[in-house]
């Protein structure tokens, strides 16, 4: 499948990121074997999902680092130990993602927001932890968007 994807791409700028989830199903050695096959098939990036220890992260880096870009997936509460991006770079990883972290942070904030609203019957006690109306519009660039929209409304 990796060879087919590499052969089928129309532009060199399209990256083929080869992911294996074999650690969870078949174990670490099987995942490493797959990663070797992916590299031999022409993958641009290796993504060995869910290493379970610093030892496994180190082995991945020593085995593939410097020969092909490696992707590390940092998920709070996942099986891979959370490491600083610089530390992962030192191990040989060149891409580090922290997917879903913002959703977990927003969910916790939402729980705290609703608890405060329930307790106080108002958002006032929570106001220092949120944008006011104008502050949010500033972050979103609402005024700029409205001005840009005028060029399409016929009302100049």
């Amino acid at each position: 499948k990796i060879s087919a994807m590499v052969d089928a791409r129309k532009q060199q700028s399209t990256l083929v990121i080869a992911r294996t989830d074999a650690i969870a199903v078949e174990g670490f050695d099987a995942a490493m074997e797959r990663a070797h096959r992916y590299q031999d098939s022409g993958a641009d990036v290796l993504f060995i999902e869910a290493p379970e220890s610093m030892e496994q992260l180190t082995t991945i880096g020593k085995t593939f680092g410097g020969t092909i870009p490696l992707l590390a997936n940092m998920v709070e509460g996942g099986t891979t130990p959370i490491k600083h991006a610089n530390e992962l770079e030192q191990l040989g990883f060149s891409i580090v993602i922290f997917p879903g972290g913002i959703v977990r942070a927003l969910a916790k904030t939402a729980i705290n927001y609703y608890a405060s609203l329930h307790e106080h019957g108002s958002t006032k006690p929570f106001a220092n932890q949120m944008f006011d109306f104008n502050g949010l519009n500033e972050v979103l660039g609402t005024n700029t968007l409205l001005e840009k929209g005028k060029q399409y409304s016929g009302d100049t």
Side-chain angles (χ1 to χ4, degrees):
K1 292 177 186 178
I2 300 299
S3 294
M5 290 172 20
V6 168
D7 290 345
R9 72 174 147 199
K10 302 272 190 245
Q11 298 177 2
Q12 197 59 34
S13 61
T14 300
L15 291 178
V16 175
I17 301 175
R19 173 180 172 153
T20 177
D21 290 276
I23 291 175
V25 180
E26 301 173 52
F28 184 71
D29 291 338
M32 293 296 285
E33 182 181 317
R34 283 184 189 214
H36 279 291
R37 289 198 314 262
Y38 294 165
Q39 183 179 29
D40 293 343
S41 297
D44 299 306
V45 177
L46 292 180
F47 178 7
I48 302 169
E49 172 65 328
E52 299 171 338
S53 65
M54 187 61 180
E55 180 183 355
Q56 288 182 354
L57 285 167
T58 301
T59 299
I60 293 167
K62 284 183 179 176
T63 303
F64 297 106
T67 64
I68 186 170
L70 297 172
L71 186 148
N73 185 16
M74 299 287 103
V75 177
E76 299 82 356
T79 60
T80 304
I82 300 291
K83 298 295 176 190
H84 191 285
N86 290 340
E87 186 177 0
L88 290 162
E89 182 178 31
Q90 294 300 313
L91 292 174
F93 292 85
S94 51
I95 303 168
V96 181
I97 60 173
F98 293 83
I102 190 64
V103 172
R104 287 184 286 283
L106 290 172
K108 185 168 185 172
T109 299
I111 288 170
N112 293 336
Y113 167 83
Y114 286 118
S116 176
L117 181 59
H118 182 263
E119 180 181 345
H120 302 286
S122 166
T123 59
K124 193 168 185 173
F126 203 82
N128 66 337
Q129 298 178 60
M130 54 194 278
F131 288 110
D132 66 10
F133 183 78
N134 291 327
L136 181 58
N137 281 329
E138 186 176 322
V139 168
L140 297 175
T142 301
N143 290 336
T144 302
L145 292 171
L146 291 172
E147 285 299 315
K148 187 168 182 77
K150 286 180 183 178
Q151 73 185 17
Y152 299 104
S153 69
D155 300 337
T156 53

